[in-house]
Amino acid sequence: MSRTARWRLGLGASAVLLATAALPAPAHAEDVTDYAITVDPSATGPKIDKTMYGVFFEDINRAADGGLYAELVQNRSFEYSTADNASYTPLTAWTVSGTARVVDDSGRLNDRNRAYLSLAAGSSVTNAGYNTGVAVRDGEKYDFSVWARAEAGSTLTVTLQDAGGALADARRIAVKKSGWTRYKATFTATRTSTAGRLTVAADAATALDMVSLFPRDTYKHEPNGLRKDLAEKIAALRPGFVRFPGGCLVNTGSMQDYSEGSGWQRKRSYQWKDTIGPVETRATNANFWGYNQSYGLGYYEYFRFAEDIGAMPLPVVPALVTGCGQNKAVVDDALLKRHIQDTLDLIEFANGPATSEWGKKRAEMGHPEPFHLTHIEVGNEENLPHEFFARFQRFRAAVKAKYPSVQVISNSGPDDAGAIFDTAWKLNRDARVDMVDEHYYNSPQWFLQHNDRYDSYDRSGPKVFLGEYASQGNAFKNGLAEAAFMTGLERNADVVKLASYAPLFANEDYVQWSPDLVWFNNHASWNSANYEVQKLFMTNVGDRVVPSTATGTPSLSGPLTGAIGLSTWNTGAAYDDVKVTAADGGTLFGDDFSGDASRWTHTGTGSWTVRDGSYVQTDDTAENTMVQAGDPSWHDYDLHVKATKKSGKEGFLVAFGVKDTGNYYWWNLGGWNNTQSAVEQATDGGKSTLLAKAGSVETGRAYDIDIKVRGRQVTLYLDGKEWGSFADDKPAEPFRQVVTRDAKTGELIVKVVNAQSAAARTSVDLGGARVASTAKVTTLAAAPEAVNTETSTAVAPKTSTFTGVAGKFTYTFPANSVTFLRIKQK
C-alpha cells in the first residue's frame, strides 16, 4: 500500500496548515507515513485503577546498600563473608593501620550481629565507602555513630578526608564504658568530594561495631533514611504501588531463620522479620546477586516509603519453592506452617492496632497508625508450578480465613509462554485466584509484536499483575517498544490491573543486571530513556479508556531468510554432518569436517578446532561461541546437524536465519543449566523466546537435529521426531495508540507511539466530541540509539501547545517519538 493511501479526512487547507504548524514540516514526502485514529467518546472503555502503574524494588545492582539506603559506610558491622562473595573477608572495604581483627565470640554486640572489630591501641581502620569513596558536599552535615566498648576507656579520633586532605574537622569521642554503648558525632563538610575516606583511630584497645555515616539530608526521615535523589526519582513517577523486596531474593536460598538452631544460615530467602527493629539487631544475609545485604533498609522502611509517596505497598513472601535456577521444593511441613504464620504476622504488622503483638512492634518503630496493606504476593517465578501451587493454596487459605479483604497474588513462572506458563495459568484459573503475576524480559521487537497480548485474555478470569518486564536495553528504541506495549496494557486495563518495569536501580560500578530504570553512582543519578517513558505514562494515566482504533503501517513480510550457525554456552560439544538442502532438493551447503573449517566464520567466544572429523568447541566456560556459514539470503531450506555434548553445564545451540551477530534464530537444546530447550530469536542483540519445553541433553550421546524452514514457518525435529513448530509471522507494528479520559481535569489524553524513522502524519477523528482548540503536548523524541548518561540527557520530555484541535484534525507525530496530547472536552 502506498504511503498516501491512508489519507482519509477531508479537512480544509487552513485546518491542515493550522494543525501542522506546531511541528516542523518533514524534509521529504517519503519520510512521512499516513495514519488515521478514530475515537468513540460515546463508548465506555475499561476503568483504569489508580494503582495501574508502579515500581518494583529489588536489592540488585547495589540498589539498597550503596544505593537507596543512605548509609555511606560499606560493611559497617564487619559481617561480610565468603558466603556473600568468594572474594569477601570481614574487612572488605576497610584498610587497617596497625593491628585489628574481626572477632566472632560471646563479646559480640548481640546474637544477630555476630562479628565485631577488635582494634589495638594506636591502630586505626579506614573505610572506602562505595564506588570511588565516601561522597560529601560542601556545607552539608553528616551524622557519625559507632557502637564501642573499651575495658580501660579510650579516645576515638574520627576523621573524614580524601587524597587532598581533610573534608571536615576531626571528631574525638571518649569511650568511657566497658559495655557496648552507641556514640555519636556530626561532621560538616568543608568541601565537596566523591573520594572520601572515613577513619576511626583508637588510643587504647577498643571494640567497634556498626560504624556508620549518614547524610543529614535524607528523604523525609532521618536517621536510617533514604538517599534523597534516588527516592525523589521514584516519587516523581507518582507510582501507584511499590512491589518489594524481590525478585530472586524471595525464592532462593535456605528458608530457615537466622538463629543458633539453624546454624546462623547466611544464604537465606528474604524474610521480613529479619529486617525490623533497631538496625543493630537486624540479621545480615548473603544477597542472591553476589554481595552482602545489611537489612538496614527493611520492611518498615519499605512500608514508610510507600506511604510517603502515596503508593500501595505490595510485599512478596517466600512460597518455599526456590527458583532463579535453584528449582527445589522445600518439603518441611513445620517450616511451611511457620512461613504461613509469618505472612499472617506481616499483615498484622502492617495493619494491626498498636495494641496487637506485631502492631505494637510497628508502633515502637515510630508508626502507630496502620500502613493499610491490601495486596500480598506469595512466591516469585517458580519453575515448579504444581509444587508451588500446592503451597500457594495453603498460604491463600490462611490469609483469606483471617484477612478476607487482602488480595493474594500468585504467579505464572519466569517466561511469557511455554509449558510452565501454561500449567501455572491453568492452576491459577481453575482455583480462581485473585491475580497472577507475569514476568518477561524480551527484545524490543517482541514488545512491538505483542501489543495485543491481553486482548484475548479471559475477562472473567484472574487479573494480571505484570510485575517485571523490560526490553533488552536502555536506548530510546527500547523505551519506544515498551511504550508501544504499554498502550496495549492500558487498552486492557480490565485485565491488567498492575504493571511495573524492572529492575528499578543500578549502581554503575556494581551491575548484575541490565537494563535498569535509574542509574547512579555515589554522587549522582540519571534517568534512563525507559524511565522517561514510564514517567510519561505514569503521570498521565487517566481513569478510563476511551475506545479508539487506528490504521496500521504498510509492510511486506517475506520469507524467513539467513545463514546457519553453531554455538555453545558453558558447554564443550562436537558437530558433524552439517547439510543445508533447498526446498527443491538441491544442496546449498555441506560439511563433514573431513578437511578444514575454512567456510565457517568464528564470531563468538570459545575455541573451535576440526578434530577426528568433527567441528569441536572445547571451552566449556565460554558463552555464545557462535560460528557461522552460508548465505544470509537463503530461504526455504532444511538444515541437518549431528551434535554431541562433550562436557559442561548445558547443551547445543543450532542457529538458522542468521543475518549477523545480533540477528538470528537458534534452537537452544539443554539450556538454562540443562533443564529446558527453546527457540530464541535475537533482534539487534536482544533475545525473545518463541517456543520452549522442558528437556535435557545427555553427555556423550549423538543427536540428529533437523530444522525445516518454509516461508516464515519453522518445524524442528530431534532424532527424527517432530519436537515443535512455530510461525514467525507477527508484524512488529511501530505505530500504536490509546486514548484515555481524565475525569478530574475533563481531558481526553491521546497517546501515540511512533517507533519508526518516518514521521506519522495522522488524521484524528474524535467522534463528535466537543473539545477546546488547544491541546497540551508532551513529546519524547530522539534517535533510536540515544542513551541518557550522567553527563548527557539525550532523551527528555518537551512540552508545547498545539492550537489545531477540532472534532477532526491532523497531527504529524515525529519519527521515533512518544507523544501525549491532553485535549480539554467542553
Side-chain angles (χ1 to χ4, degrees), residues 22-52:
L23 291 169
H28 304 286
E30 61 268 24
D31 293 335
V32 179
T33 302
D34 292 325
Y35 296 89
I37 295 173
T38 303
V39 183
D40 185 359
S42 64
T44 301
K47 180 181 181 294
I48 306 175
D49 294 342
K50 293 180 180 179
T51 53
M52 174 74 180

PDB file of all heavy atoms in Angstrom, residues 22-52:
ATOM      1  N   ALA A  22       2.494  23.462  14.440  1.00  0.00           N
ATOM      2  CA  ALA A  22       3.217  23.305  15.701  1.00  0.00           C
ATOM      3  C   ALA A  22       4.472  22.459  15.559  1.00  0.00           C
ATOM      4  O   ALA A  22       5.323  22.447  16.426  1.00  0.00           O
ATOM      5  CB  ALA A  22       2.309  22.681  16.745  1.00  0.00           C
ATOM      6  N   LEU A  23       4.589  21.726  14.432  1.00  0.00           N
ATOM      7  CA  LEU A  23       5.746  20.874  14.233  1.00  0.00           C
ATOM      8  C   LEU A  23       6.422  21.222  12.918  1.00  0.00           C
ATOM      9  O   LEU A  23       5.775  21.659  11.961  1.00  0.00           O
ATOM     10  CB  LEU A  23       5.324  19.399  14.192  1.00  0.00           C
ATOM     11  CG  LEU A  23       4.829  18.811  15.512  1.00  0.00           C
ATOM     12  CD1 LEU A  23       4.193  17.463  15.275  1.00  0.00           C
ATOM     13  CD2 LEU A  23       6.010  18.669  16.460  1.00  0.00           C
ATOM     14  N   PRO A  24       7.743  21.059  12.839  1.00  0.00           N
ATOM     15  CA  PRO A  24       8.420  21.361  11.586  1.00  0.00           C
ATOM     16  C   PRO A  24       7.965  20.421  10.489  1.00  0.00           C
ATOM     17  O   PRO A  24       7.676  19.245  10.718  1.00  0.00           O
ATOM     18  CB  PRO A  24       9.900  21.124  11.931  1.00  0.00           C
ATOM     19  CG  PRO A  24       9.889  20.218  13.118  1.00  0.00           C
ATOM     20  CD  PRO A  24       8.657  20.583  13.882  1.00  0.00           C
ATOM     21  N   ALA A  25       7.890  20.928   9.277  1.00  0.00           N
ATOM     22  CA  ALA A  25       7.495  20.112   8.146  1.00  0.00           C
ATOM     23  C   ALA A  25       8.563  19.068   7.874  1.00  0.00           C
ATOM     24  O   ALA A  25       9.761  19.344   8.012  1.00  0.00           O
ATOM     25  CB  ALA A  25       7.295  20.982   6.902  1.00  0.00           C
ATOM     26  N   PRO A  26       8.164  17.856   7.528  1.00  0.00           N
ATOM     27  CA  PRO A  26       9.169  16.835   7.223  1.00  0.00           C
ATOM     28  C   PRO A  26      10.002  17.237   6.022  1.00  0.00           C
ATOM     29  O   PRO A  26       9.536  17.941   5.120  1.00  0.00           O
ATOM     30  CB  PRO A  26       8.327  15.587   6.942  1.00  0.00           C
ATOM     31  CG  PRO A  26       6.955  16.089   6.637  1.00  0.00           C
ATOM     32  CD  PRO A  26       6.785  17.355   7.389  1.00  0.00           C
ATOM     33  N   ALA A  27      11.252  16.758   6.007  1.00  0.00           N
ATOM     34  CA  ALA A  27      12.169  17.172   4.961  1.00  0.00           C
ATOM     35  C   ALA A  27      11.766  16.633   3.599  1.00  0.00           C
ATOM     36  O   ALA A  27      11.906  17.309   2.581  1.00  0.00           O
ATOM     37  CB  ALA A  27      13.583  16.703   5.308  1.00  0.00           C
ATOM     38  N   HIS A  28      11.265  15.409   3.566  1.00  0.00           N
ATOM     39  CA  HIS A  28      10.899  14.787   2.304  1.00  0.00           C
ATOM     40  C   HIS A  28       9.572  14.069   2.463  1.00  0.00           C
ATOM     41  O   HIS A  28       9.293  13.494   3.499  1.00  0.00           O
ATOM     42  CB  HIS A  28      11.972  13.777   1.869  1.00  0.00           C
ATOM     43  CG  HIS A  28      13.344  14.370   1.772  1.00  0.00           C
ATOM     44  ND1 HIS A  28      13.718  15.208   0.755  1.00  0.00           N
ATOM     45  CD2 HIS A  28      14.423  14.251   2.585  1.00  0.00           C
ATOM     46  CE1 HIS A  28      14.983  15.582   0.925  1.00  0.00           C
ATOM     47  NE2 HIS A  28      15.427  15.011   2.039  1.00  0.00           N
ATOM     48  N   ALA A  29       8.798  14.042   1.411  1.00  0.00           N
ATOM     49  CA  ALA A  29       7.491  13.394   1.474  1.00  0.00           C
ATOM     50  C   ALA A  29       7.623  11.919   1.811  1.00  0.00           C
ATOM     51  O   ALA A  29       6.791  11.335   2.490  1.00  0.00           O
ATOM     52  CB  ALA A  29       6.756  13.566   0.152  1.00  0.00           C
ATOM     53  N   GLU A  30       8.741  11.282   1.341  1.00  0.00           N
ATOM     54  CA  GLU A  30       8.889   9.855   1.606  1.00  0.00           C
ATOM     55  C   GLU A  30       9.209   9.562   3.060  1.00  0.00           C
ATOM     56  O   GLU A  30       9.235   8.403   3.483  1.00  0.00           O
ATOM     57  CB  GLU A  30       9.978   9.259   0.702  1.00  0.00           C
ATOM     58  CG  GLU A  30      11.358   9.845   0.901  1.00  0.00           C
ATOM     59  CD  GLU A  30      11.641  11.025  -0.037  1.00  0.00           C
ATOM     60  OE1 GLU A  30      10.668  11.665  -0.494  1.00  0.00           O
ATOM     61  OE2 GLU A  30      12.815  11.281  -0.306  1.00  0.00           O
ATOM     62  N   ASP A  31       9.486  10.604   3.873  1.00  0.00           N
ATOM     63  CA  ASP A  31       9.753  10.409   5.289  1.00  0.00           C
ATOM     64  C   ASP A  31       8.479  10.446   6.121  1.00  0.00           C
ATOM     65  O   ASP A  31       8.541  10.486   7.343  1.00  0.00           O
ATOM     66  CB  ASP A  31      10.712  11.497   5.805  1.00  0.00           C
ATOM     67  CG  ASP A  31      12.094  11.362   5.194  1.00  0.00           C
ATOM     68  OD1 ASP A  31      12.441  10.238   4.791  1.00  0.00           O
ATOM     69  OD2 ASP A  31      12.803  12.374   5.110  1.00  0.00           O
ATOM     70  N   VAL A  32       7.314  10.448   5.470  1.00  0.00           N
ATOM     71  CA  VAL A  32       6.045  10.533   6.174  1.00  0.00           C
ATOM     72  C   VAL A  32       5.185   9.328   5.809  1.00  0.00           C
ATOM     73  O   VAL A  32       5.067   8.967   4.649  1.00  0.00           O
ATOM     74  CB  VAL A  32       5.292  11.839   5.810  1.00  0.00           C
ATOM     75  CG1 VAL A  32       3.953  11.895   6.544  1.00  0.00           C
ATOM     76  CG2 VAL A  32       6.140  13.053   6.133  1.00  0.00           C
ATOM     77  N   THR A  33       4.600   8.701   6.829  1.00  0.00           N
ATOM     78  CA  THR A  33       3.615   7.651   6.618  1.00  0.00           C
ATOM     79  C   THR A  33       2.280   8.141   7.154  1.00  0.00           C
ATOM     80  O   THR A  33       2.222   8.787   8.197  1.00  0.00           O
ATOM     81  CB  THR A  33       4.021   6.362   7.361  1.00  0.00           C
ATOM     82  OG1 THR A  33       5.300   5.946   6.893  1.00  0.00           O
ATOM     83  CG2 THR A  33       3.026   5.251   7.104  1.00  0.00           C
ATOM     84  N   ASP A  34       1.207   7.865   6.438  1.00  0.00           N
ATOM     85  CA  ASP A  34      -0.104   8.375   6.822  1.00  0.00           C
ATOM     86  C   ASP A  34      -0.901   7.345   7.624  1.00  0.00           C
ATOM     87  O   ASP A  34      -0.925   6.158   7.307  1.00  0.00           O
ATOM     88  CB  ASP A  34      -0.904   8.751   5.569  1.00  0.00           C
ATOM     89  CG  ASP A  34      -0.299   9.946   4.856  1.00  0.00           C
ATOM     90  OD1 ASP A  34       0.215  10.830   5.556  1.00  0.00           O
ATOM     91  OD2 ASP A  34      -0.323   9.970   3.614  1.00  0.00           O
ATOM     92  N   TYR A  35      -1.551   7.852   8.680  1.00  0.00           N
ATOM     93  CA  TYR A  35      -2.363   7.024   9.563  1.00  0.00           C
ATOM     94  C   TYR A  35      -3.682   7.730   9.848  1.00  0.00           C
ATOM     95  O   TYR A  35      -3.826   8.939   9.613  1.00  0.00           O
ATOM     96  CB  TYR A  35      -1.639   6.774  10.892  1.00  0.00           C
ATOM     97  CG  TYR A  35      -0.364   5.990  10.764  1.00  0.00           C
ATOM     98  CD1 TYR A  35       0.851   6.634  10.548  1.00  0.00           C
ATOM     99  CD2 TYR A  35      -0.370   4.602  10.847  1.00  0.00           C
ATOM    100  CE1 TYR A  35       2.030   5.918  10.421  1.00  0.00           C
ATOM    101  CE2 TYR A  35       0.797   3.870  10.719  1.00  0.00           C
ATOM    102  CZ  TYR A  35       1.991   4.533  10.510  1.00  0.00           C
ATOM    103  OH  TYR A  35       3.153   3.818  10.380  1.00  0.00           O
ATOM    104  N   ALA A  36      -4.608   6.968  10.427  1.00  0.00           N
ATOM    105  CA  ALA A  36      -5.866   7.540  10.883  1.00  0.00           C
ATOM    106  C   ALA A  36      -6.226   6.946  12.238  1.00  0.00           C
ATOM    107  O   ALA A  36      -6.121   5.733  12.442  1.00  0.00           O
ATOM    108  CB  ALA A  36      -6.986   7.271   9.885  1.00  0.00           C
ATOM    109  N   ILE A  37      -6.597   7.808  13.184  1.00  0.00           N
ATOM    110  CA  ILE A  37      -7.081   7.384  14.501  1.00  0.00           C
ATOM    111  C   ILE A  37      -8.538   7.800  14.619  1.00  0.00           C
ATOM    112  O   ILE A  37      -8.884   8.960  14.343  1.00  0.00           O
ATOM    113  CB  ILE A  37      -6.265   8.032  15.637  1.00  0.00           C
ATOM    114  CG1 ILE A  37      -4.814   7.560  15.609  1.00  0.00           C
ATOM    115  CG2 ILE A  37      -6.893   7.725  16.999  1.00  0.00           C
ATOM    116  CD1 ILE A  37      -3.910   8.275  16.600  1.00  0.00           C
ATOM    117  N   THR A  38      -9.381   6.863  15.002  1.00  0.00           N
ATOM    118  CA  THR A  38     -10.802   7.146  15.183  1.00  0.00           C
ATOM    119  C   THR A  38     -11.175   6.858  16.632  1.00  0.00           C
ATOM    120  O   THR A  38     -10.952   5.747  17.130  1.00  0.00           O
ATOM    121  CB  THR A  38     -11.665   6.286  14.245  1.00  0.00           C
ATOM    122  OG1 THR A  38     -11.246   6.517  12.895  1.00  0.00           O
ATOM    123  CG2 THR A  38     -13.131   6.652  14.388  1.00  0.00           C
ATOM    124  N   VAL A  39     -11.750   7.846  17.304  1.00  0.00           N
ATOM    125  CA  VAL A  39     -12.100   7.747  18.716  1.00  0.00           C
ATOM    126  C   VAL A  39     -13.614   7.680  18.855  1.00  0.00           C
ATOM    127  O   VAL A  39     -14.338   8.363  18.122  1.00  0.00           O
ATOM    128  CB  VAL A  39     -11.538   8.959  19.500  1.00  0.00           C
ATOM    129  CG1 VAL A  39     -11.833   8.826  20.993  1.00  0.00           C
ATOM    130  CG2 VAL A  39     -10.041   9.110  19.262  1.00  0.00           C
ATOM    131  N   ASP A  40     -14.091   6.874  19.780  1.00  0.00           N
ATOM    132  CA  ASP A  40     -15.532   6.772  20.033  1.00  0.00           C
ATOM    133  C   ASP A  40     -15.814   7.236  21.457  1.00  0.00           C
ATOM    134  O   ASP A  40     -15.874   6.416  22.386  1.00  0.00           O
ATOM    135  CB  ASP A  40     -16.009   5.344  19.824  1.00  0.00           C
ATOM    136  CG  ASP A  40     -17.528   5.219  19.951  1.00  0.00           C
ATOM    137  OD1 ASP A  40     -18.190   6.247  20.222  1.00  0.00           O
ATOM    138  OD2 ASP A  40     -18.046   4.096  19.788  1.00  0.00           O
ATOM    139  N   PRO A  41     -16.002   8.527  21.682  1.00  0.00           N
ATOM    140  CA  PRO A  41     -16.195   9.029  23.045  1.00  0.00           C
ATOM    141  C   PRO A  41     -17.510   8.610  23.672  1.00  0.00           C
ATOM    142  O   PRO A  41     -17.677   8.718  24.893  1.00  0.00           O
ATOM    143  CB  PRO A  41     -16.113  10.542  22.868  1.00  0.00           C
ATOM    144  CG  PRO A  41     -16.554  10.777  21.456  1.00  0.00           C
ATOM    145  CD  PRO A  41     -16.066   9.602  20.675  1.00  0.00           C
ATOM    146  N   SER A  42     -18.447   8.125  22.886  1.00  0.00           N
ATOM    147  CA  SER A  42     -19.733   7.702  23.437  1.00  0.00           C
ATOM    148  C   SER A  42     -19.666   6.301  24.033  1.00  0.00           C
ATOM    149  O   SER A  42     -20.539   5.902  24.798  1.00  0.00           O
ATOM    150  CB  SER A  42     -20.810   7.736  22.346  1.00  0.00           C
ATOM    151  OG  SER A  42     -20.522   6.795  21.321  1.00  0.00           O
ATOM    152  N   ALA A  43     -18.638   5.543  23.677  1.00  0.00           N
ATOM    153  CA  ALA A  43     -18.489   4.179  24.199  1.00  0.00           C
ATOM    154  C   ALA A  43     -17.734   4.212  25.523  1.00  0.00           C
ATOM    155  O   ALA A  43     -16.967   5.130  25.792  1.00  0.00           O
ATOM    156  CB  ALA A  43     -17.757   3.307  23.191  1.00  0.00           C
ATOM    157  N   THR A  44     -17.966   3.202  26.338  1.00  0.00           N
ATOM    158  CA  THR A  44     -17.327   3.125  27.650  1.00  0.00           C
ATOM    159  C   THR A  44     -16.257   2.049  27.641  1.00  0.00           C
ATOM    160  O   THR A  44     -16.556   0.869  27.455  1.00  0.00           O
ATOM    161  CB  THR A  44     -18.360   2.809  28.742  1.00  0.00           C
ATOM    162  OG1 THR A  44     -19.353   3.842  28.744  1.00  0.00           O
ATOM    163  CG2 THR A  44     -17.694   2.741  30.113  1.00  0.00           C
ATOM    164  N   GLY A  45     -15.015   2.463  27.821  1.00  0.00           N
ATOM    165  CA  GLY A  45     -13.909   1.519  27.901  1.00  0.00           C
ATOM    166  C   GLY A  45     -13.639   1.119  29.333  1.00  0.00           C
ATOM    167  O   GLY A  45     -14.316   1.561  30.266  1.00  0.00           O
ATOM    168  N   PRO A  46     -12.639   0.287  29.534  1.00  0.00           N
ATOM    169  CA  PRO A  46     -12.327  -0.193  30.893  1.00  0.00           C
ATOM    170  C   PRO A  46     -11.911   0.934  31.834  1.00  0.00           C
ATOM    171  O   PRO A  46     -11.274   1.910  31.422  1.00  0.00           O
ATOM    172  CB  PRO A  46     -11.157  -1.159  30.671  1.00  0.00           C
ATOM    173  CG  PRO A  46     -11.191  -1.505  29.234  1.00  0.00           C
ATOM    174  CD  PRO A  46     -11.774  -0.332  28.524  1.00  0.00           C
ATOM    175  N   LYS A  47     -12.260   0.772  33.096  1.00  0.00           N
ATOM    176  CA  LYS A  47     -11.795   1.673  34.136  1.00  0.00           C
ATOM    177  C   LYS A  47     -10.324   1.388  34.404  1.00  0.00           C
ATOM    178  O   LYS A  47      -9.886   0.241  34.407  1.00  0.00           O
ATOM    179  CB  LYS A  47     -12.609   1.453  35.411  1.00  0.00           C
ATOM    180  CG  LYS A  47     -12.217   2.335  36.588  1.00  0.00           C
ATOM    181  CD  LYS A  47     -13.078   2.008  37.798  1.00  0.00           C
ATOM    182  CE  LYS A  47     -12.723   2.891  38.991  1.00  0.00           C
ATOM    183  NZ  LYS A  47     -11.338   2.614  39.482  1.00  0.00           N
ATOM    184  N   ILE A  48      -9.537   2.435  34.617  1.00  0.00           N
ATOM    185  CA  ILE A  48      -8.123   2.282  34.938  1.00  0.00           C
ATOM    186  C   ILE A  48      -7.936   2.599  36.418  1.00  0.00           C
ATOM    187  O   ILE A  48      -8.237   3.703  36.870  1.00  0.00           O
ATOM    188  CB  ILE A  48      -7.240   3.225  34.091  1.00  0.00           C
ATOM    189  CG1 ILE A  48      -7.518   3.040  32.597  1.00  0.00           C
ATOM    190  CG2 ILE A  48      -5.769   2.980  34.387  1.00  0.00           C
ATOM    191  CD1 ILE A  48      -6.777   4.018  31.714  1.00  0.00           C
ATOM    192  N   ASP A  49      -7.443   1.622  37.169  1.00  0.00           N
ATOM    193  CA  ASP A  49      -7.247   1.835  38.600  1.00  0.00           C
ATOM    194  C   ASP A  49      -6.104   2.813  38.848  1.00  0.00           C
ATOM    195  O   ASP A  49      -5.162   2.920  38.055  1.00  0.00           O
ATOM    196  CB  ASP A  49      -6.930   0.512  39.288  1.00  0.00           C
ATOM    197  CG  ASP A  49      -8.096  -0.464  39.241  1.00  0.00           C
ATOM    198  OD1 ASP A  49      -9.229  -0.013  38.985  1.00  0.00           O
ATOM    199  OD2 ASP A  49      -7.864  -1.670  39.444  1.00  0.00           O
ATOM    200  N   LYS A  50      -6.171   3.511  39.980  1.00  0.00           N
ATOM    201  CA  LYS A  50      -5.101   4.440  40.347  1.00  0.00           C
ATOM    202  C   LYS A  50      -3.767   3.726  40.547  1.00  0.00           C
ATOM    203  O   LYS A  50      -2.709   4.345  40.471  1.00  0.00           O
ATOM    204  CB  LYS A  50      -5.481   5.198  41.617  1.00  0.00           C
ATOM    205  CG  LYS A  50      -6.655   6.161  41.442  1.00  0.00           C
ATOM    206  CD  LYS A  50      -6.973   6.869  42.752  1.00  0.00           C
ATOM    207  CE  LYS A  50      -8.141   7.829  42.580  1.00  0.00           C
ATOM    208  NZ  LYS A  50      -8.486   8.518  43.855  1.00  0.00           N
ATOM    209  N   THR A  51      -3.839   2.446  40.822  1.00  0.00           N
ATOM    210  CA  THR A  51      -2.621   1.661  41.063  1.00  0.00           C
ATOM    211  C   THR A  51      -2.092   0.985  39.802  1.00  0.00           C
ATOM    212  O   THR A  51      -1.222   0.104  39.884  1.00  0.00           O
ATOM    213  CB  THR A  51      -2.905   0.588  42.126  1.00  0.00           C
ATOM    214  OG1 THR A  51      -4.066  -0.167  41.719  1.00  0.00           O
ATOM    215  CG2 THR A  51      -3.167   1.216  43.482  1.00  0.00           C
ATOM    216  N   MET A  52      -2.567   1.393  38.631  1.00  0.00           N
ATOM    217  CA  MET A  52      -2.202   0.720  37.381  1.00  0.00           C
ATOM    218  C   MET A  52      -0.692   0.556  37.219  1.00  0.00           C
ATOM    219  O   MET A  52      -0.181  -0.522  36.927  1.00  0.00           O
ATOM    220  CB  MET A  52      -2.761   1.509  36.193  1.00  0.00           C
ATOM    221  CG  MET A  52      -2.327   1.004  34.827  1.00  0.00           C
ATOM    222  SD  MET A  52      -3.169  -0.517  34.374  1.00  0.00           S
ATOM    223  CE  MET A  52      -2.482  -0.850  32.768  1.00  0.00           C
TER     224      MET A  52
END
